[in-house]
């Protein structure tokens, strides 16, 4: 097989494809020959991404959806299947990181993170599973992939990140339980846990939190979104009998 087109004939849905890791992953999967369904709320950004993929002679489709709403998550998955007739790969990447101490926290920030990092990911998973199972029985690969983008924060708890930690620990637990349930059917379930990656993620924090992060959590050479996309492409392009269950990827200078 031409490794450069390892995903030819497959359909991949990427949530949070309007920026950062999701956008880079959509481009990387498209580059391997997958038809890409790009999901997020900012339609203009998705349209620009679809144009880039098509200019590179790829196939792509934008779906504007707020996947914290169950019917919108289900609709996004259905849009992929309506458009391309199947779904082989789901990348649950959309997320939000709002940091700060737990005492006196604004709990609406917790709710927003739980809604997208946990509920959105679970809704998309639930909607996609029947289609992924079907793809796993079918050519061209006879295997399907679901990749959840967690974080180092899903493995290591840290002061000032408690609610974000809670959402990403939840992602890791959900991923491992699901893996045990479906892996024997050649539906591979993986978790990718990036460390500090250059993206818009921090910019959603309150100014005082952004200042604190700039002081305490600065790494001269962070990961680029394309580095994480590389890891995701590696996971979904292994031979059928190889499942990469977990990838922890940090910038070299990141100690913890
Ligand atoms: N950057 C890091 O250092 C880092 C480290 C570890 C893990 N991660 C994880 O990587 C993932 C991607 O983050 P990123 O760093 O690439 O940040 P980002 O650039 O802020 O991307 C977040 C993406 O999520 C989408 N999103 C947010 N809420 C949504 C909603 N309700 N419905 C649909 N899409 C929604 C955003 O799109 P719209 O706003 O257009 O909807 C955006 O495309 C997240 O799960 C994050 O926790 C990041």
């Amino acid at each position: 097989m031409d490794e450069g087109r390892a995903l030819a004939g497959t359909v991949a849905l990427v949530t949070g494809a309007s920026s950062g890791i999701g956008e880079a992953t959509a481009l990387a999967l498209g580059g391997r020959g997958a038809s890409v369904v790009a999901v997020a709320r900012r339609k203009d950004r998705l349209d620009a991404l679809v144009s880039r993929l098509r200019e590179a002679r790829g196939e792509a489709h934008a779906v504007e959806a707020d996947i914290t709403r169950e019917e919108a998550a289900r609709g996004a998955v259905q849009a992929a299947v309506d458009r391309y007739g199947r779904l082989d790969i789901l990348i649950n990447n959309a997320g939000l990181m709002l940091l700060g101490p737990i005492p006196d926290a604004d709990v609406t920030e917790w709710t927003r993170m739980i809604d997208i990092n946990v509920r959105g990911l679970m809704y998309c998973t639930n909607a996609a599973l029947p289609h992924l199972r079907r793809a796993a029985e079918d050519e061209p690969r006879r295997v399907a992939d679901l990749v959840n983008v967690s974080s180092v924060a899903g493995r290591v708890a840290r002061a000032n990140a408690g609610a974000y930690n809670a959402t990403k620990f939840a992602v890791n637990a959900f991923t491992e339980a699901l893996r045990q349930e479906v892996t024997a059917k050649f539906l591979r379930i993986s978790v990718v846990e990036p460390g500090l990656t250059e993206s818009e993620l921090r910019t959603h924090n309150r100014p005082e939190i952004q200042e604190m992060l700039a002081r305490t959590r600065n790494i001269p050479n962070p990961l680029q979104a394309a580095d994480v996309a590389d890891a995701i492409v590696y996971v979904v392009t292994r031979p059928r009998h190889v499942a990469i269950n977990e990838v922890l990827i940090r910038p070299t200078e990141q100690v913890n």
Side-chain angles (χ1 to χ4, degrees), residues 23 46 55 80 85 91 97 133 157 170 176 199 205 207 231-232 237 256:
E23 181 182 29
L46 296 178
E55 276 159 24
I91 312 295
M97 178 189 74
R133 291 181 83 143
E176 174 55 17
S199 78
N205 283 281
I232 293 172
T237 54
N256 53 30

Side-chain angles (χ1 to χ4, degrees), residues 98-212:
L98 301 173
L99 302 180
I102 293 169
D104 305 321
D106 172 355
V107 296
T108 62
E109 292 192 341
W110 296 358
T111 308
R112 288 169 59 203
M113 280 193 290
I114 292 165
D115 280 352
I116 184 62
N117 297 2
V118 184
R119 289 173 50 180
L121 175 145
M122 291 168 81
Y123 293 151
C124 289
T125 299
N126 181 260
L129 279 173
H131 305 292
L132 294 173
R133 291 181 83 143
R134 212 163 299 134
E137 293 169 359
D138 200 6
E139 299 298 332
R141 296 192 309 156
R142 293 188 304 120
V143 67
D145 287 285
L146 187 156
V147 180
N148 288 332
V149 179
S150 177
S151 172
V152 169
R155 291 176 54 114
V156 185
R158 183 178 293 119
N160 299 318
Y164 184 64
N165 284 137
T167 66
K168 293 300 189 181
F169 271 65
V171 168
N172 284 26
F174 186 69
T175 306
E176 174 55 17
L178 176 60
R179 188 191 69 75
Q180 292 175 24
E181 290 171 11
V182 300
T183 193
K185 300 281 189 197
F186 285 88
L187 173 43
R188 298 184 294 208
I189 309 293
S190 311
V191 66
V192 173
E193 300 150 327
L196 184 60
T197 308
E198 205 163 282
S199 78
E200 297 175 12
L201 196 69
R202 282 183 180 203
T203 65
H204 304 292
N205 283 281
R206 285 174 274 127
E208 64 272 25
I209 299 294
Q210 292 192 48
E211 281 159 28
M212 186 259 297

Side-chain angles (χ1 to χ4, degrees), residues 16 18-19 21 41-42 65-67 93 150 164 168 194-195 197 199:
S18 58
S19 61
I21 292 168
R41 294 167 302 182
R42 287 171 294 175
D66 175 354
I67 58 167
N93 162 78
S150 177
Y164 184 64
K168 293 300 189 181
T197 308
S199 78

